Amino acid sequence: KKMREFTKALQNDLFKSVIEINKNSFDAKMKLSTLERFRNEKEWDHIPNSKEIIKNDLSALIVFKDTDQSAKEFDYTMYAIMKVIAEGQYPAFLIKKVIESARQLKQQTKSVKELSKSKKVLETASDIEFWKHAAIADLEEIRPKLRGLMKYLPVDTVNYYTVNFTDSIIKDEEATYETGIVNDLQNYKEYTEHYLKEHLDDPVIHKIRNNEQITFEDIKYLENLMWVELGNKEDYLRYYQEKPLPNLVREISGLNPQVANEIFGMFINDYNLNPAQINFVNMIKKYILENGYIESRAVFAQMPFKAVGNIGNLFKDKQSEMKTILEKVDEFKKHLSVQ
């Protein structure tokens, strides 16, 4: 029933738009016979047989009075999602755009009155469970409630929807409706990594980036983020296996370079190291900045460290300093576990 109502409403909107076309305009006169044909409401009962004519001859004549560009672009996104779902596929890439926008708008509900009034629909649109089972009629139910809110997106996401949606849809062709958003592992990985890199100011992500000791509460927060908000635990395990959540967050979001510079700069400035030792310390810093931490001291017996010699021989005159350096290096990983 909802689908029939949606189809009829969409059909009526199109018909009204055609009625409003100025027949005396130059472009309209060039398509006058087609225009007159579709000014007959009964013609709209046979849209499947006329969609190419509507698309090629009529669409360019319709003048949209709505001046809210962000709302129109959002409409385009939602209709693109509906189209792909109707074709039996699942546009995960586009859906994630909507989810991310809804989540950004949710963060402003306390400061923007219109967003506060729309909290319920924002909750729905940002809920992955909704998108896993949403029908086209469900999407049309939230579309008009959300479109006018897009103007409140942060400035850096103004062009969030001005992308080539054709490419985006093609990219997701193999993600069937049954596969779903959280079962498309490549998209899960892309979305997870994008989210973590774009939310470096999140309190827990900030702690992990700055080499601060995490707590049990931080672990629970990450479990909810990674296994509920961004996907589910099954997808996480299938893609990242048993990798601890804080370790993954560090690997993706990275270590704050300032933190690394302060720690390793202290070694170089205070320990009176020789050039070979300084080079080795800088190699450790580079490795940790690229990987987030050192999994095991065994890495020092592998390339690229192996190429510059044995760490024991390099620091044979600085055994105490070497011990302190290694203990500090171990802390980059230790701080990722609850102690």
Side-chain angles (χ1 to χ4, degrees):
K1 182 181 178 181
K2 281 187 177 181
M3 190 62 191
R4 287 197 302 271
E5 291 174 351
F6 164 61
T7 303
K8 187 62 178 178
L10 192 60
Q11 179 179 310
N12 289 338
D13 286 344
L14 289 170
F15 174 65
K16 289 176 183 177
S17 297
V18 171
I19 292 296
E20 293 173 356
I21 294 174
N22 181 5
K23 294 194 298 181
N24 296 319
S25 70
F26 177 79
D27 290 337
K29 287 180 179 179
M30 299 294 290
K31 306 286 185 181
L32 194 57
S33 61
T34 302
L35 181 57
E36 290 292 357
R37 173 187 167 187
F38 285 95
R39 287 169 72 88
N40 178 356
E41 191 169 4
K42 291 183 178 180
E43 282 293 331
W44 292 90
D45 293 331
H46 310 287
I47 290 181
N49 299 325
S50 309
K51 61 182 181 181
E52 288 302 316
I53 297 174
I54 295 171
K55 176 183 175 183
N56 298 326
D57 295 348
L58 289 182
S59 61
L61 301 177
I62 296 174
V63 177
F64 293 98
K65 298 177 181 178
D66 191 343
T67 59
D68 188 340
Q69 187 61 28
S70 62
K72 290 190 288 186
E73 289 169 354
F74 179 75
D75 285 342
Y76 183 73
T77 304
M78 292 295 287
Y79 287 135
I81 291 172
M82 294 177 198
K83 178 179 181 293
V84 177
I85 290 177
E87 293 170 349
Q89 298 177 5
Y90 200 82
F93 180 81
L94 297 182
I95 288 173
K96 287 167 190 169
K97 295 283 188 183
V98 178
I99 292 174
E100 181 65 15
S101 290
R103 287 179 175 171
Q104 290 189 53
L105 292 171
K106 272 175 58 181
Q107 295 174 2
Q108 302 180 63
T109 53
K110 292 182 179 180
S111 56
V112 180
K113 189 175 182 180
E114 187 176 356
L115 294 179
S116 179
K117 293 179 179 179
S118 304
K119 189 173 181 179
K120 186 175 180 179
V121 70
L122 290 173
E123 291 282 356
T124 299
S126 61
D127 184 1
I128 290 177
E129 290 300 313
F130 166 78
W131 291 96
K132 286 166 65 176
H133 308 290
I136 291 175
D138 298 321
L139 303 185
E140 177 56 18
E141 187 173 335
I142 67 170
R143 181 195 62 79
K145 298 175 183 177
L146 290 170
R147 66 187 307 277
L149 307 179
M150 295 301 115
K151 59 180 175 285
Y152 295 113
L153 281 172
V155 175
D156 59 352
T157 56
V158 166
N159 296 320
Y160 205 62
Y161 291 103
T162 53
V163 297
N164 187 329
F165 289 117
T166 301
D167 290 345
S168 301
I169 292 168
I170 291 173
K171 179 179 179 182
D172 279 345
E173 277 182 347
E174 296 180 358
T176 63
Y177 187 85
E178 289 75 17
T179 300
I181 186 170
V182 294
N183 291 322
D184 184 341
L185 296 185
Q186 183 61 30
N187 283 327
Y188 174 77
K189 176 179 181 291
E190 291 175 359
Y191 187 45
T192 297
E193 296 187 359
H194 170 76
Y195 183 92
L196 294 176
K197 290 175 181 178
E198 292 297 315
H199 293 79
L200 300 182
D201 57 347
D202 175 282
V204 176
I205 297 175
H206 182 271
K207 286 179 69 173
I208 292 172
R209 271 181 52 77
N210 285 276
N211 196 36
E212 297 176 25
Q213 179 64 56
I214 64 167
T215 65
F216 177 76
E217 288 72 23
D218 295 332
I219 298 292
K220 300 303 290 183
Y221 174 86
L222 291 176
E223 288 177 350
N224 181 71
L225 175 66
M226 302 292 285
W227 298 345
V228 178
E229 293 191 23
L230 300 183
N232 61 43
K233 187 174 181 179
E234 289 72 23
D235 289 328
Y236 182 92
L237 293 175
R238 276 186 284 174
Y239 200 90
Y240 297 111
Q241 288 80 51
E242 297 293 336
K243 185 180 290 293
L245 289 164
N247 297 49
L248 179 71
V249 172
R250 170 75 65 76
E251 290 175 15
I252 294 174
S253 65
L255 177 72
N256 186 341
Q258 184 176 345
V259 172
N261 289 335
E262 289 176 359
I263 292 175
F264 290 100
M266 178 189 67
F267 299 150
I268 294 171
N269 295 328
D270 297 351
Y271 288 177
N272 193 28
L273 304 178
N274 63 41
Q277 292 165 343
I278 291 174
N279 178 54
F280 196 85
V281 168
N282 282 328
M283 287 177 67
I284 296 175
K285 181 178 78 170
K286 181 175 184 291
Y287 183 95
I288 290 177
L289 283 173
E290 290 176 352
N291 298 278
Y293 56 93
I294 286 180
E295 181 68 38
S296 165
R297 292 185 183 182
V299 75
F300 296 129
Q302 304 168 6
M303 296 295 287
F305 301 101
K306 184 179 179 181
V308 298
N310 178 276
I311 186 173
N313 292 332
L314 279 173
F315 287 86
K316 61 183 178 181
D317 62 331
K318 298 280 186 180
Q319 292 293 309
S320 176
E321 289 83 351
M322 180 189 73
K323 181 181 178 183
T324 302
I325 291 172
L326 292 179
E327 287 174 348
K328 276 292 183 183
V329 167
D330 290 342
E331 285 182 1
F332 285 103
K333 182 182 177 185
K334 284 182 178 178
H335 287 169
L336 297 174
S337 302
V338 177
Q339 302 297 313

